[in-house]
Amino acid sequence: ARMLRSRSVLLLHRLCTIPSTSSAVSSHSLPSVRPLEDELPPSAQPRPLPASSFRVPVSKKRAPKKELGIIVSDENLQQWVKMEPRGLASSYLQLSKSKLTLLITTTAVAGYMMGPGSIDYMALTACTGGTALLSSAANACNQLLEAPYDAQMKRTQSRVLVVHRFSPLHAFSFAGVSAITGSAMLLHFTNPLTAALGLLNIFLYAGVYTPMKRTTIASTWAGAVVGAIPPLMGYAAAAGTLDAASMTLAAILYSWQFPHFNGLSWNLRGDYSKAGYRVMCVTDEALCRRTSIRHALSLVGLCSIAAPLTDLTTMTFAVDSLPLNAVLVYLSWKFYRAPDAKNSRQLFFFSLLYLPLIMVLMVISNGGRNKEEKARKDGMLRVENGVPISD
């Protein structure tokens, strides 16, 4: 009974005891909880921090720039200049490819001199100026279309559209004005056939040849057709029509361009390939060498056989042209056997000398085709309306 009473008192004591939060009574204490802001009186609520305290500290050291793999030399950066009036004329000459335009205009003048009939100096001047303007328009259109690819080749990296000396609208306006002015000159002072040939050449050069260079090697043949039209323009300006003699003249210019262009492009194969041009020297090197010697041989037949037979020249030209054609065939043969930088360069530079010399020989031997000259040789002293009349 005593034991039962002591246990009951102990149990009653435990039930009536209130647990204490003191660390002295219990080793387990409740975690401290921060009261909510709504539960605090207004005076005790925290004040909002100023906006400046939310600024994230930025390190003074800048992050290293990422390498983009684009290399721009100081030389190219210096070419980005502001267009000024004093540099406008030279920039227009670059846009029109003045050296190429001069060569094309020269062939047109030679074509006029090869035409039958007396020389009309007003028509000759209009043919010269109109051909130059149309060639400038075609070259400007060509640079407009090829500016992104010209920037990838060392030979063309300094062109005016690549370095932004002209805006595309400026260049297009120049091409349009040149084409309209040149065709109007040819139409008014020569004849519609000459003007139509000039406009056709712009279309073939800018609309056919230029896009084809990136798709097929047939572009070289299309470009040769473009180069054969200017002498036809000169011939048509003089004669008002085209005949077998004019076709022989165009064929000579057509064949000349293969050794000329292949000799030029051979040392530029890397640039052409990088820019995506599908020309013979890139896609078919053997064909490039074969066509050069093939057309060099064809020039011998055109000059010594076709030209006299079609009454384009006299037999004197057939003999006088043989040394020039023999050298061209020899250099083409060397390029065919050993297609290195030296032989291709020799072929190209001689082709530049060959064309004006062969044109001069043709003009010299063409004196007998002039109707007034024929009349004098045959004893006919008067020429009326272009027809020799005997006394």
Side-chain angles (χ1 to χ4, degrees), residues 107-323:
T107 61
V109 172
Y112 186 94
M113 301 297 292
M114 296 300 297
S118 59
I119 297 176
D120 183 351
Y121 290 99
M122 180 60 71
L124 176 59
T125 303
C127 177
T128 304
T131 304
L133 287 171
L134 290 176
S135 174
S136 300
N139 289 324
C141 292
N142 171 265
Q143 292 190 58
L144 273 170
L145 295 173
E146 293 187 340
Y149 316 114
D150 287 342
Q152 303 177 44
M153 299 194 298
K154 294 180 181 179
R155 186 173 66 95
T156 56
Q157 280 180 349
S158 61
R159 286 182 174 175
V160 289
L161 287 175
V162 176
V163 299
H164 292 194
R165 296 195 71 183
F166 281 138
S167 67
L169 179 60
H170 193 158
F172 182 78
S173 301
F174 169 79
V177 172
S178 299
I180 294 172
T181 306
S183 58
M185 288 177 60
L186 294 176
L187 182 63
H188 181 73
F189 293 102
T190 58
N191 50 65
L193 177 59
T194 308
L197 287 172
L199 293 175
L200 174 64
N201 216 24
I202 292 180
F203 170 73
L204 290 177
Y205 186 67
V208 178
Y209 167 70
T210 299
M212 283 180 67
K213 288 167 66 178
R214 302 185 58 79
T215 57
T216 173
I217 61 173
S219 62
T220 306
W221 282 263
V225 173
V226 172
I229 290 180
L232 286 181
M233 294 171 59
Y235 194 98
T241 185
L242 300 177
D243 53 16
S246 65
M247 293 297 109
T248 302
L249 177 63
I252 292 174
L253 267 293
Y254 176 85
S255 292
W256 166 82
Q257 291 179 79
F258 287 92
H260 169 74
F261 179 73
N262 290 343
L264 168 67
S265 62
W266 187 262
N267 292 329
L268 302 173
R269 287 172 294 166
D271 275 354
Y272 280 120
S273 177
K274 183 169 62 176
Y277 290 119
R278 298 182 59 82
V279 290
M280 275 191 290
C281 61
V282 174
T283 59
D284 196 336
E285 295 183 356
L287 180 63
C288 178
R289 293 149 51 198
R290 289 198 305 270
T291 53
S292 299
I293 190 171
R294 186 183 302 160
H295 283 276
L297 289 170
S298 68
L299 283 170
V300 178
L302 288 170
C303 294
S304 297
I305 300 175
L309 289 180
T310 57
D311 200 25
L312 176 66
T313 62
T314 61
M315 287 302 298
T316 305
F317 175 74
V319 179
D320 293 343
S321 62
L322 280 176

Side-chain angles (χ1 to χ4, degrees), residues 4 23 30 68 70 105 138 143 145 175 202 204 234 262 288 348 370:
L4 181 60
S23 59
L30 295 176
L68 299 179
I70 300 177
T105 305
Q143 292 190 58
L145 295 173
I202 292 180
L204 290 177
N262 290 343
C288 178
F348 168 69
N370 187 294

